[in-house]
C-alpha cells in the first residue's frame, strides 16, 4: 500500500517544461555546462516558471522564452517548440543557431515578438510565418537567409518592426508590404542580391519612422510617394543601383532627421525643397552624379550637423547663406566643380569641426575669418586655384589637427602662428608658390606627424630646430631653394620614415648622424650639392626601401655596409663622382627589385659575381663608368626589363637569354670589345659589335642570302614533313594536319575533367598558325572550334630547356586550376600530353580577357594579352612594356594619359606597381614571385592618403544597423 501511495503522489514536469528541455537536448551537455542560465533548468521542477529566461502566465503556461546571447550552438531549431501554444515572446538572438526556420513556427498564434537575429540561419522564410496574426516585432536580421521575401508576410497586419537586413535574400521587395499600415520600421539593407524597384505602395506606410534598404541591388527611381511618409525620421538608401533625381516630395517628410542617399547613381540637382526639413541633422549625398548649384535653401535646415555632397558634379558658388547653419559640424563639398571664392560667412558656422573643399575650382583668397572656427579640426582645400597668403588667423583654430592647402596658388610666407597649434599633426602645403624661410618656430609644433612643404619657393637654411619634432614621420622639403648644410639635428627625429629634400641647393657632407634614423623607409637627397662620401652609418637603415642620392658631388666608394639594407628596392647613385669597384656586398641586397642606377660615376673593376643574386631586379644602369671585364653575370638577372651598360670597357660574349635577345645596341654603346655569341661563352665569328657591318651593301647582301636560305630550308622541310605525315597517316592514322605533325605523332594521354564531346584528334586539327590568339613566355594559345560547335582555348606549352623540369609548369597549372572554381579564373576542362607536347584545355571566353587563361602563381603563366598590332611595334604586351620601361619618360607613356599629369612621386608609385607586375611575367617560372612575395612588394609601395593630395575620405558609411 505504501508503494502505491508513492506512485500516486509523484509529480512530473509540465508539458511546456518538457518542450523546453528539448532545446537543451538539441544543444548538448556542453551548452548547459557553459551557461549559467541553462544550468538553472532543473528537470525535477514541477513547472519551468522559475527557470531563468522563462516567463509564465498565471496558469503556469510559458509565455516568454528569452535567451539572447546564450551559447546554444544548435544545428537546427527544434520543431517541438511550436507546442508552446501560449508563447508570446521568443528571443533566441545571438545564440549560435544554424539550420532553417521550421514551418511549424507558424503555429505560434499568440506570438507578438520573434527574434532570431544574429545567428547562422539559412534557407527561405517559411510562408507559414505569415500566419502569426498577433506578431508585432519580427527580427530575422544578420543571418544567412535566402530566397524571396514571401508575400504572405503582408498578412501580419499588426507588424510594427520588420527587420530582415544583412541576409542573402533575392528577388524584389513585395509590393504587398504596403498594406502593413502599422509598420514603424522597415529594414532590408545589406542584402546584396535584393533587386527590383522600390514599390510605390510603400508610400502608404504613413506611420513609418525608419526605411532602410542600403547596400542592396535595388534599382529604379525613388518613388515620389515617399513624400507621404510624414513620420519618417531615417531614410537610408545608400550604395544601391538607384538612379534618377531626388524627388522634391521628400521635402514634405517634416520629421526627417537622417537622409542617406550616398553612393548611388542619382542625377539632377539637389531639390531646394529639402530646405524645409527643419529637423534634418545628416544629409549625405556624396558619390553620385548630382549637378547644378548647391541650393541656398539648405541654409534653412537649422538642425543640420553633417552635410556631405562631395564626389558629385556640382557647380556654381558655395552659398554664403550656409553660414546660417549654426550647429553644422561637418561640411564636405570636395571633388566637385565648384567655383568662386570661399564665402567668409562660413566662419559663422562656429560648431564646424571638418571643412573639406578640396578638388574643386575655387579661387580668390582664404578668408581671414577662418580663425573664428575655434573647433575646426580638419581643413582640406588642396587641388583648387586659391591664391593670396595663408591667413595667420589659422593660429586661432586651436583644435586644428590637419591642414592641407596643397596644389593651389598660395604666395607669401608660412605664418609662424600656425606652428603654435598644439594639436596640429598634418601640415601639407605642397605645390604652391610659398616663399621665405621655414621659421624656427616650427619647433613649437611638437605634435606634427607630417610636414610636407615640397614644390614651393622656400629658401634659406633648414632650421636645426626641426630636430625637436619628435613625432615627425614624414618630412618633405623637396623642390625648393633651401641652401646651406643639412642640419644633423634631423637625426634626433627617431620615428622619421620619409626624408625628402631633393632638388634644393644644399651643400656640405651628408651628416653621418642620419644613420640613427633607424625607422627610415625613404631617403631622397638627390639633385643637391652634397660632397664627401656616403656615410658608413647608412648601413643602419634596416627598413629603408628607397635610397636616392643622384646628381650630387659625392666621392669615394659605396660603403660595404650597404649589405645591411635588406629591404632596399631602389638604389639611385647616378651622376656623382663615386669611384672604386662595385662592392661585392651589393649582391647581398637581394631585395633590390625596382632599380639599381650607378651610372655616370667613376666606378672601376669587374662586375662582382654576387650580382647574380639580384634575380628580382627590374632596371640596371651602369653606363658612363670605367668598368671592364665580362658581363656573363648579367645573364642571371632574369627579371630585367631595362639595362644600360654603355660607355664602359666591357668585353667578351653577350649573354644568350631571352631578355638580351630583345636589347638594342643602344644598351651596349662604346664597349668595343663586347661581341655577339651563340652559346654565351665564346664570340660569334659572324658579327662583332666592335666593327659592326661594313656597309649597307653588306647588310643587303647578307639579308638576301639569309632570306634565300630560309626559303629553301622551309620548302625542303615542308616537303619532308608532308611525306612524313602521309606515312604516319597510313601507318597510324595521324591525328593532325599541322606542320608540327612530328610532335603530334607520339601516343597521347587525354584526361578530361568533365564529359567532353570531342577527341584529341579534333583538338590537334585546330593547332594551326591562323588560330593563334596569343603568345607568352611559356606557351602559345589557340582558338579551337570543335565539331559539336563548342569553342575552347588550347594552350600549348613551349618545350623547356634541358636543365628545367619539363613537367613543373604543366603539373602546377593542372594542380591549381583543376581545383579552382572562380568567376575570374577561366575553367580548366582537361589536359593532354605525349612525350613531346603538353596541352591545356580551357573554356573559350568570347570577347574575354586572354590573360584569364594564364592567371596563377609562380610556375603558372601570368602573361599572354594577345598578339594585337595596336599594342605597338608588333610586340605582345609583355615585350612592349619591357621596351617602354627603358627610361622614365617612356615608362610614363604606358600609363593612361589621364594619370600622367599627377605629381611625379605618385607616378613613381604607379611605375613601381607596374614593375612588380613585370616580375610576375618573368621568362623563367622559377624566378616569378609567390603571391606572398607580391603582397609584400606591394606593401612597400606605400602612399598615405594625404601624401600626394589624394581625395579626402568622405564621411564613412553608416553601420549596418542603419540599413
Amino acid at each position: 500500500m505504501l508503494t502505491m501511495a508513492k506512485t500516486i503522489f509523484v509529480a512530473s514536469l509540465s508539458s511546456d517544461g518538457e518542450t523546453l528541455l528539448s532545446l537543451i537536448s538539441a544543444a548538448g551537455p556542453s551548452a548547459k555546462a557553459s551557461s549559467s542560465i541553462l544550468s538553472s533548468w532543473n528537470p525535477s521542477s514541477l513547472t519551468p516558471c522559475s527557470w531563468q529566461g522563462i516567463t509564465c502566465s498565471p496558469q503556469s503556461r510559458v509565455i516568454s522564452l528569452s535567451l539572447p546571447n546564450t551559447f546554444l550552438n544548435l544545428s537546427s531549431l527544434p520543431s517541438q517548440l511550436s507546442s508552446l501554444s501560449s508563447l508570446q515572446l521568443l528571443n533566441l538572438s545571438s545564440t549560435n543557431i544554424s539550420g532553417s526556420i521550421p514551418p511549424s513556427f507558424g503555429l505560434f498564434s499568440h506570438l507578438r515578438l520573434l527574434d532570431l537575429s544574429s545567428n547562422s540561419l539559412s534557407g527561405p522564410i517559411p510562408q507559414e510565418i505569415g500566419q502569426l496574426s498577433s506578431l508585432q516585432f519580427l527580427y530575422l536580421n544578420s543571418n544567412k537567409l535566402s530566397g524571396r521575401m514571401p508575400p504572405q508576410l503582408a498578412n501580419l497586419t499588426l507588424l510594427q518592426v520588420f527587420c530582415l537586413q544583412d541576409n542573402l535574400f533575392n528577388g524584389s521587395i513585395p509590393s504587398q508590404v504596403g498594406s502593413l499600415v502599422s509598420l514603424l520600421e522597415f529594414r532590408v539593407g545589406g542584402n546584396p542580391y535584393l533587386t527590383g524597384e522600390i514599390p510605390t505602395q510603400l508610400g502608404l506606410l504613413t506611420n513609418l519612422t525608419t526605411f532602410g534598404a542600403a547596400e542592396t541591388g535595388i534599382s529604379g527611381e525613388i518613388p515620389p510617394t515617399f513624400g507621404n511618409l510624414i513620420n519618417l525620421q531615417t531614410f537610408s538608401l545608400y550604395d544601391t543601383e538607384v538612379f534618377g533625381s531626388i524627388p522634391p516630395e521628400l521635402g514634405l517628410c517634416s520629421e526627417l532627421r537622417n537622409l542617406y542617399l550616398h553612393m548611388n547613381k542619382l542625377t539632377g540637382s539637389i531639390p531646394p525643397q529639402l530646405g524645409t526639413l527643419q529637423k534634418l541633422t545628416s544629409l549625405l549625398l556624396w558619390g553620385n552624379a548630382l549637378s547644378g548649384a548647391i541650393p541656398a535653401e539648405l541654409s534653412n535646415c537649422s538642425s543640420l550637423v553633417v552635410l556631405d555632397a562631395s564626389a558629385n558634379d556640382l557647380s556654381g558658388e558655395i552659398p554664403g547663406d550656409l553660414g546660417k547653419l549654426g550647429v553644422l559640424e561637418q561640411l564636405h563639398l570636395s571633388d566637385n566643380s565648384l567655383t568662386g571664392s570661399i564665402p567668409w560667412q562660413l566662419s559663422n558656422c562656429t560648431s564646424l569641426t571638418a571643412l573639406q573643399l578640396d578638388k574643386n575650382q575655387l579661387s580668390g583668397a582664404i578668408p581671414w575669418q577662418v580663425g573664428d572656427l575655434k573647433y575646426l579640426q580638419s581643413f582640406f582645400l588642396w587641388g583648387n586655384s586659391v591664391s593670396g597668403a595663408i591667413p595667420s588667423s589659422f593660429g586661432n583654430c586651436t583644435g586644428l589637427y590637419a591642414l592641407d592647402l596643397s596644389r593651389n596658388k598660395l604666395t607669401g610666407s608660412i605664418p609662424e602662428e600656425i606652428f603654435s597649434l598644439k594639436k596640429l599633426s598634418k601640415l601639407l602645403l605642397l605645390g604652391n608658390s610659398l616663399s621665405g624661410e621655414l621659421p624656427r618656430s616650427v619647433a613649437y609644433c611638437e605634435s606634427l606627424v607630417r610636414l610636407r612643404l615640397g614644390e614651393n619657393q622656400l629658401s634659406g637654411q633648414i632650421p636645426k630646430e626641426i630636430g625637436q619634432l619628435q613625432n615627425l614621420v614624414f618630412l618633405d622639403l623637396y623642390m625648393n631653394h633651401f641652401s646651406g648644410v643639412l642640419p644633423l639635428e634631423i637625426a634626433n627625429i627617431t620615428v622619421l620614415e620619409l626624408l625628402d629634400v631633393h632638388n634644393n641647393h644644399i651643400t656640405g657632407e651628408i651628416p653621418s648622424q642620419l644613420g640613427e634614423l633607424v625607422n627610415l623607409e625613404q631617403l631622397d637627397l638627390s639633385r643637391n650639392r652634397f660632397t664627401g662620401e656616403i656615410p658608413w652609418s647608412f648601413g643602419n637603415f634596416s627598413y629603408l626601401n628607397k635610397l636616392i642620392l643622384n646628381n650630387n658631388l659625392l666621392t669615394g666608394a659605396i660603403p660595404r655596409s650597404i649589405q645591411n639594407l635588406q629591404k632596399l628596392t631602389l638604389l639611385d647613385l647616378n651622376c656623382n663622382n663615386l669611384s672604386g669597384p662595385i662592392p661585392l656586398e651589393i649582391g647581398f641586397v637581394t631585395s633590390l627589385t625596382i632599380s639599381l642606377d650607378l651610372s655616370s660615376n667613376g666606378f672601376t673593376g669587374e662586375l662582382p659575381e654576387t650580382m647574380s643574386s639580384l634575380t628580382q631586379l627590374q632596371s640596371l644602369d651602369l653606363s658612363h663608368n670605367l668598368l671592364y671585364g665580362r658581363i656573363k653575370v648579367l645573364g642571371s638577372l632574369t627579371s630585367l626589363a631595362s639595362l644600360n651598360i654603355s660607355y664602359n670597357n666591357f668585353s667578351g660574349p653577350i649573354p644568350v637569354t631571352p631578355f638580351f635577345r630583345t636589347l638594342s645596341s643602344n644598351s651596349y654603346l662604346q664597349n668595343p670589345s663586347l661581341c655577339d655569341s651563340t652559346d654565351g661563352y665564346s664570340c660569334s665569328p659572324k658579327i662583332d659589335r666592335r666593327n659592326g657591318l661594313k656597309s649597307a651593301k653588306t647588310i643587303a647582301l647578307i639579308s638576301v642570302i639569309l632570306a634565300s636560305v630560309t626559303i629553301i630550308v622551309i620548302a625542303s622541310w615542308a616537303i619532308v614533313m608532308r611525306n612524313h605525315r602521309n606515312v604516319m597517316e597510313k601507318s597510324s592514322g595521324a591525328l593532325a594536319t599541322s606542320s608540327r605533325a612530328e610532335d603530334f605523332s607520339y601516343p597521347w594521354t587525354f584526361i578530361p575533367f568533365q564529359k567532353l564531346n570531342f577527341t584529341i584528334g579534333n583538338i590537334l586539327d585546330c593547332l594551326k598558325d591562323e588560330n593563334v590568339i596569343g603568345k607568352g613566355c611559356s606557351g602559345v594559345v589557340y582558338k579551337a572550334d570543335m565539331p559539336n560547335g563548342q569553342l575552347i582555348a588550347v594552350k600549348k606549352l613551349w618545350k623547356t630547356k634541358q636543365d628545367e623540369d619539363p613537367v613543373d609548369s604543366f603539373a602546377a597549372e593542372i594542380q591549381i586550376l583543376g581545383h579552382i572554381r572562380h568567376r575570374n579564373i577561366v575553367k580548366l576542362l582537361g589536359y593532354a600530353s605525349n612525350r613531346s607536347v603538353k596541352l591545356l584545355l580551357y573554356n573559350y571566353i568570347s570577347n574575354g580577357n586572354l590573360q584569364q587563361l594564364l592567371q596563377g602563381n609562380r610556375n603558372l603563366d601570368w602573361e599572354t594579352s594577345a598578339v594585337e598590332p595596336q599594342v605597338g611595334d608588333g610586340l605582345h604586351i609583355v615585350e612592349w612594356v619591357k621596351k617602354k620601361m627603358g627610361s622614365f619618360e617612356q615608362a610614363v607613356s604606358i600609363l593612361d594619359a589621364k594619370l600622367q599629369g599627377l605629381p611625379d612621386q605618385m607616378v613613381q608609385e604607379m611605375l613601381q606597381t607596374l614593375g612588380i607586375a613585370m616580375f610576375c611575367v618573368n621568362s623563367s617560372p622559377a624566378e616569378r614571385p609567390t603571391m606572398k612575395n607580391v603582397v609584400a612588394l606591394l606593401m612597400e609601395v606605400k602612399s598615405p592618403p594625404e601624401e600626394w593630395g589624394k581625395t579626402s575620405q568622405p564621411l564613412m558609411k553608416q553601420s549596418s544597423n542603419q540599413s
Side-chain angles (χ1 to χ4, degrees):
M1 293 294 294
L2 289 175
T3 303
M4 183 178 297
K6 277 188 177 181
T7 303
I8 292 173
F9 291 106
V10 165
S12 62
L13 182 63
S14 67
S15 59
D16 281 0
E18 294 288 352
T19 299
L20 291 173
L21 289 181
S22 69
L23 199 62
I24 292 184
S25 299
S30 60
K32 183 175 181 180
S34 62
S35 170
S36 59
I37 295 179
L38 295 182
S39 62
S40 71
W41 289 19
N42 186 355
S44 62
S45 303
L46 293 178
T47 71
C49 299
S50 62
W51 297 354
Q52 290 188 43
I54 305 300
T55 304
C56 292
S57 68
Q59 294 78 28
S60 299
R61 294 299 309 274
V62 173
I63 59 174
S64 174
L65 169 58
S66 182
L67 301 174
N69 303 301
T70 302
F71 183 73
L72 296 179
N73 197 28
L74 296 174
S75 58
S76 63
L77 281 167
S79 58
Q80 303 97 300
L81 289 179
S82 60
S83 63
L84 298 174
S85 56
S86 298
L87 198 65
Q88 299 178 27
L89 185 150
L90 175 58
N91 185 351
L92 298 178
S93 62
S94 301
T95 53
N96 200 29
I97 302 175
S98 54
S100 58
I101 301 174
S104 60
F105 274 27
L107 299 176
F108 291 127
S109 57
H110 299 287
L111 198 65
R112 293 188 293 113
L113 182 147
L114 175 60
D115 190 347
L116 302 177
S117 63
S118 301
N119 283 294
S120 298
L121 295 170
S122 57
I125 298 176
Q127 62 183 22
E128 289 81 358
I129 296 297
Q131 301 172 13
L132 302 177
S133 56
S134 299
L135 197 65
Q136 296 175 301
F137 305 93
L138 177 61
Y139 298 97
L140 301 179
N141 54 287
S142 305
N143 279 287
K144 299 176 182 178
L145 298 171
S146 58
R148 292 177 173 268
M149 297 179 187
Q152 290 84 356
L153 295 180
N155 298 329
L156 306 176
T157 54
L158 299 180
L159 199 63
Q160 298 179 29
V161 176
F162 183 97
C163 288
L164 304 185
Q165 71 266 26
D166 299 327
N167 278 287
L168 301 172
F169 293 114
N170 56 30
S172 57
I173 299 174
S175 60
Q176 295 89 336
V177 174
S179 64
L180 299 177
V181 293
S182 299
L183 210 57
L184 300 177
E185 296 184 21
F186 179 81
R187 301 187 180 193
V188 295
N191 283 283
Y193 308 114
L194 194 63
T195 57
E197 299 185 1
I198 301 173
T200 58
Q201 292 87 341
L202 297 188
L204 300 173
L205 305 177
T206 54
N207 290 310
L208 202 65
T209 62
T210 301
F211 176 85
E215 296 180 321
T216 64
I218 288 175
S219 59
E221 299 190 12
I222 301 172
T225 56
F226 271 44
N228 299 328
L229 306 181
I230 55 175
N231 291 298
L232 192 65
Q233 297 179 17
T234 297
F235 185 22
S236 181
L237 189 64
Y238 60 84
D239 196 6
T240 72
E241 299 297 316
V242 168
F243 55 83
S245 58
I246 300 173
E249 288 82 357
L250 290 181
L252 300 174
C253 302
S254 56
E255 293 295 319
L256 201 60
R257 269 80 162 171
N258 306 299
L259 181 55
Y260 303 135
L261 299 178
H262 51 286
M263 296 179 67
N264 288 303
K265 299 179 179 178
L266 298 172
T267 55
S269 58
I270 300 174
Q273 290 85 350
L274 296 184
T276 62
L277 301 175
Q278 296 289 306
K279 297 182 180 180
L280 192 66
T281 60
S282 298
L283 176 58
L284 304 187
L285 305 176
W286 59 269
N288 283 287
L290 298 171
S291 57
I294 299 172
E297 288 82 354
L298 291 182
S299 62
N300 296 322
C301 299
S302 55
S303 301
L304 202 58
V305 174
V306 178
L307 171 56
D308 192 340
S310 56
N312 279 288
D313 297 320
L314 299 173
S315 57
E317 298 188 358
I318 301 173
D321 283 350
L322 293 184
K324 299 177 182 178
L325 299 173
V327 297
L328 189 68
E329 295 181 6
Q330 299 185 38
L331 177 59
H332 304 270
L333 302 177
S334 57
D335 200 3
N336 279 290
S337 299
L338 298 173
T339 56
S341 58
I342 302 170
W344 65 266
Q345 292 91 337
L346 291 181
S347 62
N348 294 326
C349 302
T350 52
S351 299
L352 210 58
T353 61
L355 179 56
Q356 300 188 1
L357 307 177
D358 49 281
K359 289 192 70 178
N360 279 290
Q361 300 167 26
L362 300 172
S363 57
I366 301 173
W368 62 266
Q369 293 90 340
V370 70
D372 295 338
L373 301 175
K374 308 294 185 184
Y375 300 103
L376 192 65
Q377 297 177 9
S378 63
F379 183 34
F380 293 163
L381 190 58
W382 61 267
N384 282 284
S385 297
V386 173
S387 57
I390 299 174
S392 59
S393 57
F394 270 121
N396 298 327
C397 303
T398 53
L400 197 63
Y401 75 85
L403 177 60
D404 191 345
L405 308 179
S406 304
R407 312 292 172 200
N408 279 289
K409 300 178 180 179
L410 297 170
T411 55
S413 60
I414 302 174
E416 293 197 35
E417 290 81 355
I418 285 182
F419 298 116
S420 67
L421 297 171
K422 300 301 183 183
K423 296 182 180 180
L424 189 65
S425 66
K426 299 174 184 177
L427 177 60
L428 292 89
L429 305 177
L430 299 160
N432 283 287
S433 297
L434 299 172
S435 57
E437 297 187 353
L438 179 58
R440 295 195 297 176
S441 58
V442 67
Y444 300 148
C445 199
E446 297 178 354
S447 56
L448 272 178
V449 174
R450 283 177 165 82
L451 178 60
R452 319 215 57 183
L453 308 179
E455 298 178 55
N456 280 288
Q457 298 173 25
L458 299 171
S459 58
Q461 290 196 348
I462 299 173
K464 65 179 182 180
E465 288 79 4
I466 206 167
Q468 299 178 33
L469 301 177
Q470 295 295 298
N471 296 304
L472 200 62
V473 174
F474 277 64
L475 176 57
D476 254 339
L477 304 176
Y478 70 92
M479 293 181 68
N480 278 287
H481 303 303
F482 288 112
S483 57
V485 299
L486 188 67
L488 57 86
E489 287 80 4
I490 289 180
N492 296 328
I493 313 174
T494 55
V495 298
L496 199 64
E497 294 179 6
L498 181 145
L499 174 59
D500 189 348
V501 297
H502 80 266
N503 266 67
N504 279 287
H505 309 297
I506 303 174
T507 57
E509 295 188 357
I510 300 173
S512 61
Q513 291 87 344
L514 290 187
E516 298 172 16
L517 299 175
V518 293
N519 291 298
L520 207 59
E521 296 181 8
Q522 297 183 33
L523 176 60
D524 191 344
L525 308 180
S526 63
R527 299 186 180 276
N528 281 287
R529 298 172 186 171
F530 285 109
T531 56
E533 298 185 353
I534 300 173
W536 180 274
S537 61
F538 276 18
N540 296 332
F541 296 146
S542 56
Y543 292 101
L544 197 70
N545 60 67
K546 294 175 189 172
L547 177 57
I548 307 172
L549 304 177
N550 67 70
N551 287 275
N552 280 290
L553 303 171
L554 298 173
T555 55
I558 298 175
R560 298 173 64 181
S561 61
I562 196 170
Q563 66 179 323
N564 299 328
L565 307 186
Q566 289 300 304
K567 291 197 173 183
L568 195 66
T569 62
L570 183 150
L571 175 60
D572 189 350
L573 304 179
N574 84 79
C575 294
N576 279 287
N577 297 319
L578 298 170
S579 58
I582 298 174
L584 61 87
E585 286 81 5
I586 206 163
F588 302 151
V589 190
T590 55
S591 57
L592 276 172
T593 53
I594 298 172
S595 176
L596 172 59
D597 192 343
L598 306 180
S599 62
S600 300
N601 279 286
F603 291 114
T604 57
E606 298 186 358
L607 299 181
E609 287 296 323
T610 56
M611 287 186 68
S612 62
S613 300
L614 304 180
T615 54
Q616 300 295 319
L617 188 63
Q618 280 280 298
S619 177
L620 175 62
D621 194 341
L622 303 175
S623 63
H624 295 274
N625 278 290
L626 303 173
L627 300 166
Y628 57 83
R630 299 204 166 202
I631 62 171
K632 177 185 175 182
V633 66
L634 300 184
S636 302
L637 309 187
T638 52
S639 295
L640 278 182
S642 173
L643 173 68
N644 191 353
I645 58 173
S646 299
Y647 297 93
N648 280 287
N649 195 26
F650 290 117
S651 59
I654 295 171
V656 181
T657 68
F659 170 70
F660 276 89
R661 283 196 290 267
T662 66
L663 287 180
S664 69
S665 58
N666 290 335
S667 297
Y668 311 106
L669 292 175
Q670 298 299 312
N671 284 281
S673 298
L674 278 179
C675 60
D676 281 324
S677 174
T678 57
D679 58 7
Y681 298 98
S682 59
C683 291
S684 170
K686 295 181 180 180
I687 302 177
D688 192 312
R689 288 187 181 259
R690 176 182 58 196
N691 298 319
L693 299 175
K694 297 298 183 182
S695 66
K697 290 183 179 179
T698 307
I699 296 174
L701 178 60
I702 292 178
S703 299
V704 170
I705 293 173
L706 289 175
S708 301
V709 171
T710 301
I711 292 172
I712 293 171
V713 170
I714 291 175
S716 302
W717 180 76
I719 294 171
V720 171
M721 288 299 99
R722 183 183 62 186
N723 293 337
H724 179 80
R725 186 177 65 229
N726 290 337
V727 171
M728 294 306 300
E729 286 176 350
K730 292 177 182 178
S731 62
S732 60
L735 298 175
T737 60
S738 168
S739 60
R740 298 176 180 82
E742 182 178 359
D743 291 337
F744 296 164
S745 62
Y746 299 114
W748 283 90
T749 298
F750 182 27
I751 306 295
F753 292 154
Q754 63 184 57
K755 184 177 180 181
L756 301 176
N757 295 320
F758 50 82
T759 66
I760 183 65
N762 301 139
I763 297 169
L764 299 181
D765 285 340
C766 297
L767 304 191
K768 306 172 183 177
D769 289 343
E770 57 264 33
N771 290 339
V772 172
I773 56 174
K775 293 181 180 179
C777 290
S778 64
V780 58
V781 181
Y782 299 85
K783 177 181 178 181
D785 193 353
M786 298 293 99
N788 63 354
Q790 182 178 1
L791 279 177
I792 66 171
V794 182
K795 177 179 171 185
K796 177 177 177 288
L797 299 182
W798 301 125
K799 290 183 179 178
T800 55
K801 299 176 183 177
Q802 291 183 356
D803 58 346
E804 292 181 3
D805 187 345
V807 298
D808 271 356
S809 179
F810 189 59
E813 194 150 358
I814 290 171
Q815 182 179 6
I816 295 179
L817 291 184
H819 295 86
I820 289 178
R821 292 294 180 266
H822 191 277
R823 66 177 182 269
N824 291 336
I825 298 182
V826 72
K827 185 178 181 182
L828 184 65
L829 301 177
Y831 67 93
S833 64
N834 66 12
R835 192 172 71 186
S836 179
V837 183
K838 297 187 173 23
L839 305 175
L840 294 167
L841 316 179
Y842 301 88
N843 272 336
Y844 179 85
I845 303 176
S846 180
N847 296 323
N849 195 338
L850 184 60
Q851 68 188 20
Q852 286 184 318
L853 295 182
L854 304 156
Q855 289 195 15
N857 189 7
R858 178 165 281 184
N859 290 334
L860 305 186
D861 276 332
W862 286 66
E863 90 303 326
T864 282
S865 256
V867 180
E868 299 181 38
Q870 64 265 32
V871 169
D873 305 326
L875 301 172
H876 66 73
I877 193 167
V878 175
E879 295 303 325
W880 180 77
V881 172
K882 281 186 177 180
K883 182 178 179 182
K884 287 286 187 181
M885 290 186 73
S887 68
F888 177 80
E889 290 75 14
Q890 285 189 328
V892 170
S893 68
I894 299 172
L895 304 178
D896 189 297
K898 297 177 182 177
L899 304 176
Q900 295 175 18
L902 293 172
D904 187 51
Q905 288 181 283
M906 183 183 281
V907 172
Q908 285 281 12
E909 300 281 359
M910 290 186 282
L911 292 180
Q912 289 172 39
T913 304
L914 176 61
I916 294 171
M918 295 303 290
F919 301 153
C920 302
V921 294
N922 192 297
S923 57
S924 172
E927 296 299 337
R928 296 173 192 158
T930 64
M931 282 306 299
K932 181 178 180 181
N933 289 339
V934 170
V935 171
L937 289 171
L938 289 173
M939 290 178 69
E940 295 294 334
V941 185
K942 298 197 308 182
S943 181
E946 65 281 349
E947 184 172 338
W948 316 125
K950 193 176 179 181
T951 303
S952 55
Q953 296 297 312
L955 194 70
M956 294 297 291
K957 291 190 298 183
Q958 304 301 307
S959 58
S960 59
N961 62 6
Q962 290 179 320
S963 297

